[in-house]
Amino acid sequence: VHGNIMSYESIKRITFYAHIFGALLLFLTSILKFVQFNFTHTEFVLNIYYIFFGLLIVCSEIGFGKVLENFYFLNFCFGKSLFSGFIATLTWTLSYWIQTVVAIFFIVACGGFLILGFMFGKNESEKFSQNTPSAQQQDKAREMQPQDQKVPAPQVQQQLHIYS
């Protein structure tokens, strides 16, 4: 328990549901815009991005390995905060009500994730580093790599002179 407020596990559950709800809002926005057939070329591309970002959020929250590796920042509250702020800037408009609702949600989520990042950032990084076998395997592979495989700088320069 952190300062007798909430446990790290309860915070993870809250961030999970908040992020999934945000993804559903993104899907809803895209579907409503596509059904109305009332959008410009730019809005069409943004709708595709909304779907992609919604899928990215869902995949990161359910623990899809490749997403967690390639979008590493989504493993942490600070990363979720930045991503939520980015989505808020993409969706902010006063011309379509659902996009305004989505933007306000992601602005609030951005602030919430930021606060949680400050409160539980150390816990997150410790728990995530324990549960990441690929990072541990990469570290072991680097330790096992012989030092003589590295080419010294003068030899590289000599090889470049031969080819030029």
Side-chain angles (χ1 to χ4, degrees), residues 69-97:
E69 289 176 16
N70 293 320
F71 298 94
Y72 189 73
F73 61 93
L74 289 176
N75 292 301
F76 306 100
C77 282
F78 285 123
K80 290 177 184 180
S81 174
L82 289 173
F83 191 58
S84 295
F86 174 69
I87 292 174
T89 61
L90 283 180
T91 56
W92 182 260
T93 182
L94 296 176
S95 63
Y96 196 60
W97 69 271

Side-chain angles (χ1 to χ4, degrees), residues 8-27:
Y8 174 72
E9 295 305 319
S10 63
I11 294 300
K12 285 301 289 180
R13 196 174 16 252
I14 290 169
T15 61
F16 172 83
Y17 289 120
H19 233 184
I20 294 295
F21 181 72
L24 293 176
L25 284 175
L26 286 172
F27 292 142

Side-chain angles (χ1 to χ4, degrees), residues 28-29 49 52 68 83 91 110 122 125 127:
L28 179 64
T29 301
Y49 278 123
F52 173 72
L68 293 178
F83 191 58
T91 56
C110 176
K122 185 175 181 180
S125 58
K127 288 212 180 236

Side-chain angles (χ1 to χ4, degrees):
V1 176
H2 184 74
N4 249 350
I5 298 173
M6 292 184 159
S7 71
Y8 174 72
E9 295 305 319
S10 63
I11 294 300
K12 285 301 289 180
R13 196 174 16 252
I14 290 169
T15 61
F16 172 83
Y17 289 120
H19 233 184
I20 294 295
F21 181 72
L24 293 176
L25 284 175
L26 286 172
F27 292 142
L28 179 64
T29 301
S30 239
I31 290 169
L32 288 176
K33 292 289 277 187
F34 278 132
V35 168
Q36 290 181 351
F37 295 109
N38 186 16
F39 47 82
T40 64
H41 296 294
T42 305
E43 290 172 337
F44 176 80
V45 172
L46 283 174
N47 285 333
I48 299 298
Y49 278 123
Y50 298 158
I51 292 170
F52 173 72
F53 291 149
L55 287 173
L56 186 65
I57 289 170
V58 169
C59 289
S60 72
E61 290 299 330
I62 64 171
F64 191 68
K66 287 294 182 185
V67 171
L68 293 178
E69 289 176 16
N70 293 320
F71 298 94
Y72 189 73
F73 61 93
L74 289 176
N75 292 301
F76 306 100
C77 282
F78 285 123
K80 290 177 184 180
S81 174
L82 289 173
F83 191 58
S84 295
F86 174 69
I87 292 174
T89 61
L90 283 180
T91 56
W92 182 260
T93 182
L94 296 176
S95 63
Y96 196 60
W97 69 271
I98 188 71
Q99 284 181 262
T100 306
V101 170
V102 172
I104 291 170
F105 171 81
F106 276 104
I107 289 169
V108 172
C110 176
F113 286 137
L114 188 64
I115 290 168
L116 294 174
F118 282 116
M119 289 174 61
F120 294 99
K122 185 175 181 180
N123 293 8
E124 279 188 316
S125 58
E126 286 173 1
K127 288 212 180 236
F128 190 75
S129 64
Q130 292 170 356
N131 297 329
T132 324
S134 63
Q136 294 168 354
Q137 290 171 353
Q138 289 175 358
D139 290 341
K140 286 181 184 177
R142 285 187 197 119
E143 291 173 4
M144 301 293 286
Q145 183 179 11
Q147 292 295 327
D148 61 346
Q149 287 184 356
K150 296 179 181 176
V151 179
Q155 289 178 354
V156 172
Q157 289 175 350
Q158 288 174 351
Q159 290 174 354
L160 289 176
H161 274 308
I162 292 171
Y163 295 119
S164 57

